[in-house]
Amino acid sequence: MLLKTLKGRHSVLLILVPIIIVSLWMGAFLHPESLTAGQDQMPLYELLRFLTAGNDFILNLIACLLLVLMAYGMVRLNEQYIFIRQRTDLPAFVFAFIATGTIALGGMHPSLFAAFVLFLSVDRVFKIYQGTATLSNSFDVGFLIGLASLFYLFAGVYILWFLMTLAVFGYFRSKEILAGLMGFIVPIFLMFAWCFWNENLPEFLHTISKLFSFHNHLGAVSVFQYSYWGILGFLVVLSSLYMLNVYEEKKISSRKYFIVLLTFFLVSALSFLFFKGAGVEQYFISIIPVTYITSHYFVLQKHSWIGEVLFYILVISSILIRFIG
């Protein structure tokens, strides 16, 4: 059975992860297109475009590498913090399938780089709960969120997520709050200083204003794409309900990690609703918690045949969407 095999620990299986991502993203390499054509972007993403000479094929290769690194990182993070009470490679495969499941995001987008940086911040957030070096880890979280916002403006809203995690972990204290806010300000201040020194601060501010005012819309979305998102939505709701059902059985740390991941997802959803410039690209960020929540359900739910059927539906729909989406 596919699910039973993939939720085990077989190092050779991890070789399949980049193969899955590359295969499902083949269209991005055969017909590379810019996902941000005609739009001004934040400075670090513009720097990336400059370094790659605006070559969409190279940018898509970098994007693919980021997805592979995040997929492997999903496994490592679970092994370190045991959010799922079992050592399993399944999060890498779940991430590989759902990360490539939105046709409109077949390529590099600033939000993908931001998602990668924000994923690194999750590790630092969990370290805060362990009570070691809370100030330096708070600073690191804030710094990473600030850095992510210089790739993708709306990533800055995750500073609110950081403050909420401090409250969840019982570290909502002036020292940790100040350390996180200082970390958040540092990269932004340095960018403002650099732009001021090079006399292009008005251009930077104009870019921020345009990104805020830009009305991002879904455009033409097929019924198959909506169906795929519906499947993911159903799995997220089902997995969350399952988590709530076994919540009291969890270790205190696992409960808090779940709340933090759920909060991460809610911040992404609210960003999409409240910022008209934040569009479907939020998908890259929101699938970080979705991967863990759904993987938890697939690994631990007791009716194996139900899990197998739902996992087959996820896998088959992730493949079909590339052909009929």
Side-chain angles (χ1 to χ4, degrees):
M1 302 293 274
L2 182 61
L3 177 59
K4 183 178 180 180
T5 301
L6 295 184
K7 71 181 183 181
R9 293 305 310 273
H10 309 285
S11 57
V12 68
L13 284 177
L14 289 178
I15 300 174
L16 294 175
V17 171
I19 295 175
I20 292 171
I21 292 175
V22 171
S23 298
L24 294 178
W25 245 30
M26 189 57 68
F29 300 120
L30 296 177
H31 309 287
E33 297 180 3
S34 173
L35 302 184
T36 58
Q39 294 177 291
D40 293 327
Q41 296 298 326
M42 294 297 282
L44 291 188
Y45 186 73
E46 290 294 350
L47 176 62
L48 178 64
R49 287 192 59 82
F50 173 78
L51 294 175
T52 58
N55 188 307
D56 291 321
F57 181 80
I58 296 176
L59 285 169
N60 289 352
L61 281 177
I62 296 173
C64 189
L65 176 62
L66 292 178
L67 290 179
V68 172
L69 291 176
M70 288 178 69
Y72 287 145
M74 295 284 174
V75 176
R76 188 200 67 82
L77 200 66
N78 182 60
E79 289 185 343
Q80 186 170 358
Y81 299 104
I82 317 296
F83 172 69
I84 304 171
R85 197 177 59 252
Q86 180 176 319
R87 293 185 180 275
T88 175
D89 295 330
L90 188 64
F93 292 97
V94 171
F95 180 84
F97 283 114
I98 65 177
T100 56
T102 295
I103 300 300
L105 296 176
M108 173 61 87
H109 190 279
S111 64
L112 175 53
F113 228 111
F116 179 76
V117 177
L118 289 172
F119 178 67
L120 298 179
S121 75
V122 175
D123 175 61
R124 294 294 189 274
V125 162
F126 286 173
K127 276 181 167 46
I128 294 174
Y129 178 72
Q130 295 181 334
T132 56
T134 58
L135 293 182
S136 63
N137 282 313
S138 294
F139 180 89
D140 289 347
V141 173
F143 184 87
L144 289 169
I145 294 173
L147 191 66
S149 70
L150 294 177
F151 280 101
Y152 176 64
L153 178 63
F154 301 103
V157 74
Y158 284 86
I159 193 64
L160 299 177
W161 165 72
F162 162 69
L163 295 176
M164 287 186 282
T165 62
L166 289 181
V168 171
F169 289 159
Y171 283 98
F172 195 74
R173 305 180 303 200
S174 57
K175 295 184 296 182
E176 283 77 15
I177 293 173
L178 184 59
L181 293 177
M182 286 298 294
F184 178 71
I185 292 170
V186 164
I188 297 174
F189 172 79
L190 292 176
M191 182 56 66
F192 268 89
W194 173 263
C195 292
F196 178 79
W197 182 262
N198 289 276
E199 300 182 346
N200 59 358
L201 183 58
E203 181 181 345
F204 178 40
L205 295 175
H206 181 63
T207 297
I208 293 176
S209 176
K210 285 184 67 176
L211 288 172
F212 263 119
S213 60
F214 177 73
H215 186 67
N216 206 330
H217 55 85
L218 293 176
V221 180
S222 72
V223 66
F224 302 107
Q225 184 67 81
Y226 279 121
S227 298
Y228 183 79
W229 290 338
I231 292 171
L232 281 185
F234 172 76
L235 286 175
V236 169
V237 172
L238 180 64
S239 301
S240 299
L241 291 175
Y242 176 77
M243 172 61 77
L244 291 173
N245 188 50
V246 299
Y247 185 80
E248 295 299 330
E249 302 173 11
K250 293 288 182 183
K251 293 170 55 179
I252 294 177
S253 59
S254 295
R255 297 180 196 175
K256 292 184 181 292
Y257 294 155
F258 168 69
I259 294 174
V260 166
L261 290 171
L262 186 60
T263 303
F264 191 101
F265 177 78
L266 292 176
V267 168
S268 178
L270 291 175
S271 297
F272 178 80
L273 293 175
F274 287 103
F275 296 109
K276 62 181 180 180
V280 70
E281 70 274 1
Q282 286 281 336
Y283 182 84
F284 278 136
I285 300 174
S286 63
I287 60 176
I288 294 172
V290 166
T291 295
Y292 282 120
I293 293 171
T294 55
S295 294
H296 176 273
Y297 172 76
F298 282 131
V299 171
L300 298 179
Q301 63 89 31
K302 297 177 182 179
H303 304 287
S304 59
W305 69 271
I306 296 178
E308 288 283 352
V309 170
L310 291 175
F311 190 71
Y312 269 110
I313 291 174
L314 174 63
V315 171
I316 293 172
S317 60
S318 296
I319 296 173
L320 288 179
I321 193 68
R322 308 309 303 183
F323 296 98
I324 62 178

